[in-house]
Amino acid sequence: MPQLTDADRIARAEAWIAQDPDPETRDELAVIVARARTGDAAASADLADRFDARLAFGTAGLRGEIAAGPNRMNRVLVSQGAAGLAAHLLERSTDAGAPSVVIGYDGRRNSEAFARDVAEVMSGAGVRAILLPRLLPTPVLAFAVRHLTASAGVMITASHNPPNDNGMKVYLGGSDAGSQIVAPADAEIAAQIDRVAATTSVTDLARGAFEVADETVVDAYVAATAAVASAPAAQPRVVYTAMHGVGWETMRRVLETAGFDAPALVAEQIEPDGRFPTVSFPNPEEPGAMDLSFAAARAAGADLVIANDPDADRLAVAIPDIDEPEGYRRLTGNEVGLLLGWQVAEQAAGSHGTLACSIVSSPGLEAVARAHGLGFRATLTGFKWISRAPDLVFGFEEALGYLVNPGTVRDKDGISAAVAFLSLAARLAAEGRTIADRLDEFALRFGRFDSSQVSIRVTDLSRIADVMARLRAEPPTEVGGIRVERIDDLAAGIDGYPPSDVLRLVFDGGARVMVRPSGTEPKLKVYIDAAATEGSLEERRVAAADTVSRLEAGMRALVS
């Protein structure tokens, strides 16, 4: 956008108010405009933040804080996004009939209103629009794109973002039906959205009638997901939380169909509530987010805690641990991914297939694939890449995302992953063993793979760019007393990857550090991995933990 004056911003804000169908955001912006007219500096700065930039549409779609203006999530932006996506589908359509879109939504603020706007605007543009019957998990929408042979899918969700955020996540049909969009589709859709925003008022967009999918779509997802499980040989004692999200209704049906007993519930978090009143941040990875789950687990004497994030595309698992203050330890995403990947590899042994994970996830998955004669693929971060690995039988990323049922859902799915993990726990319980025992068995067979993460949340995004630029200009020769063997800059598009803003530091002894900006949050993320494959179990634990600890301390000092 060109440099704007205060008068320009006020004029644009008034034009925005005139087309905004939401009285709440209209009134909010009108107050700011009135204050800016009086010369209020804070109001002028607020308008600049909202109107000097536009929330960018990318491979993650749109995501941001709910408020008025083009740099926020609101009904104007969603309607423009829907019109742009419709134009893209119509331009690309080669079928005799109209292209189609299936739309889902979660329990966040404005999710249903945004979903109906998408359905109405896309229908008005000539796209067959099908709205899922009620608020449902993101994996159900990803499944529905394939199940209904839709040209596209739209999920209204901000996943595990802060409570006042929302988003619009886009899937395309075709050969990769149900996978998130990748280039060049993202840029093509973004160009159409920008054209709509520049030339058409939302009030002038045609709105049409849409269909509502019947329950058979959900029934089919439940049946396909329950089939991931083997008949439970034992019934572990389980506590479940939906983290105020939409996972429980669907999870309950899947568990029942698969033959698992009903888990004990974290009652305070089981119903959808977009305010997320019991957590400061609705992400199972965040400190304190699972405290209520641990309390419920202690009361129930649970063998396992299962948590979904608010749209149920992620899974967190915790197990008993007497060394932890809460009595339970949340497994890392890498630990869960390696156990699930090993289970899939055992089932696939003697056949063929590929195990895949993102480049920032544990290299232990490659060791599993190699030991079982399976292919392995490391991809750029995000399931838009993992889901496209050839001949995929399992994929994961360390951020609690797992793809265990690629024949039906081509995206991360916290419900099918939970069922697969419960099947593993049930089998171990029938043998008199635990998940902790299985982790030790993994370490002895494949090596002890430890990981950690440094996450720097910022308010000024330029700080992230500054850190990345500094690391490139002044690359470290050692971190935590461990010599850097080499630094790979993925911005150059090495190893066959598309150019990506990622730095890979490889150290003497094989440890690895990856540094990248988050794709969905204002964070700089540092991923640390080390392995120990020699000595006793305890020696491997100590060696891997020591390397990770030294690198974590060194990287914190380097990027803070």
Side-chain angles (χ1 to χ4, degrees), residues 243-325:
M243 202 68 69
H244 296 298
V246 296
W248 172 235
E249 180 194 29
T250 307
M251 176 71 84
R252 177 190 59 77
R253 291 184 58 192
V254 171
L255 293 178
E256 186 178 273
T257 303
F260 287 97
D261 289 346
L265 303 178
V266 182
E268 303 94 323
Q269 298 177 336
I270 208 65
E271 295 297 330
D273 187 340
R275 300 170 303 158
F276 305 105
T278 69
V279 291
S280 57
F281 206 98
N283 179 356
E285 293 180 292
E286 293 290 328
M290 293 185 67
D291 285 356
L292 288 176
S293 302
F294 295 155
R298 290 193 298 271
D303 305 304
L304 209 60
V305 177
I306 296 292
N308 285 136
D309 70 334
D311 68 328
D313 66 348
R314 286 175 167 83
L315 167 71
V317 175
I319 61 174
D321 189 333
I322 60 173
D323 294 329
E324 292 293 322

Side-chain angles (χ1 to χ4, degrees), residues 64-85:
E65 180 186 358
I66 297 173
N71 203 26
R72 301 289 189 272
M73 279 297 299
N74 47 67
R75 291 183 63 189
V76 173
L77 203 75
V78 167
S79 296
Q80 292 170 341
L85 176 59

Side-chain angles (χ1 to χ4, degrees), residues 204-448:
D204 294 331
L205 292 174
R207 290 178 177 256
F210 56 84
E211 304 170 36
V212 177
D214 60 38
E215 286 295 322
T216 59
V217 176
V218 185
D219 295 342
Y221 171 83
V222 168
T225 305
V228 169
S230 51
Q235 292 284 353
R237 291 166 295 181
V238 179
V239 161
Y240 174 79
T241 179
M243 202 68 69
H244 296 298
V246 296
W248 172 235
E249 180 194 29
T250 307
M251 176 71 84
R252 177 190 59 77
R253 291 184 58 192
V254 171
L255 293 178
E256 186 178 273
T257 303
F260 287 97
D261 289 346
L265 303 178
V266 182
E268 303 94 323
Q269 298 177 336
I270 208 65
E271 295 297 330
D273 187 340
R275 300 170 303 158
F276 305 105
T278 69
V279 291
S280 57
F281 206 98
N283 179 356
E285 293 180 292
E286 293 290 328
M290 293 185 67
D291 285 356
L292 288 176
S293 302
F294 295 155
R298 290 193 298 271
D303 305 304
L304 209 60
V305 177
I306 296 292
N308 285 136
D309 70 334
D311 68 328
D313 66 348
R314 286 175 167 83
L315 167 71
V317 175
I319 61 174
D321 189 333
I322 60 173
D323 294 329
E324 292 293 322
E326 298 283 356
Y328 286 81
R329 177 174 76 87
R330 183 182 68 78
L331 302 183
T332 67
N334 281 325
E335 288 175 312
V336 174
L338 293 178
L339 291 183
L340 288 175
W342 186 13
Q343 179 173 241
V344 170
E346 288 179 331
Q347 295 165 349
S351 59
H352 65 280
T354 298
L355 306 183
C357 66
S358 65
I359 56 175
V360 299
S361 300
S362 175
L365 191 66
E366 183 174 9
V368 173
R370 189 168 54 246
H372 290 83
L374 299 173
F376 172 75
R377 180 68 64 92
T379 76
L380 293 180
T381 54
F383 273 83
K384 57 183 173 284
W385 302 113
I386 295 170
S387 67
R388 287 174 165 82
D391 207 17
L392 183 70
V393 293
F394 172 76
F396 91 96
E397 63 181 2
E398 51 72 42
L400 310 186
Y402 316 96
L403 197 168
V404 302
N405 197 13
T408 54
V409 176
R410 302 292 289 189
D411 196 9
K412 57 185 175 291
D413 182 349
I415 296 176
S416 62
V419 171
F421 202 91
L422 283 170
S423 293
L424 171 61
R427 174 168 67 85
L428 293 171
E431 299 168 356
R433 298 192 295 152
T434 66
I435 293 296
D437 295 332
R438 184 69 164 174
L439 287 168
D440 288 346
E441 184 184 353
F442 187 100
L444 286 171
R445 178 166 181 186
F446 303 106
R448 173 76 178 202

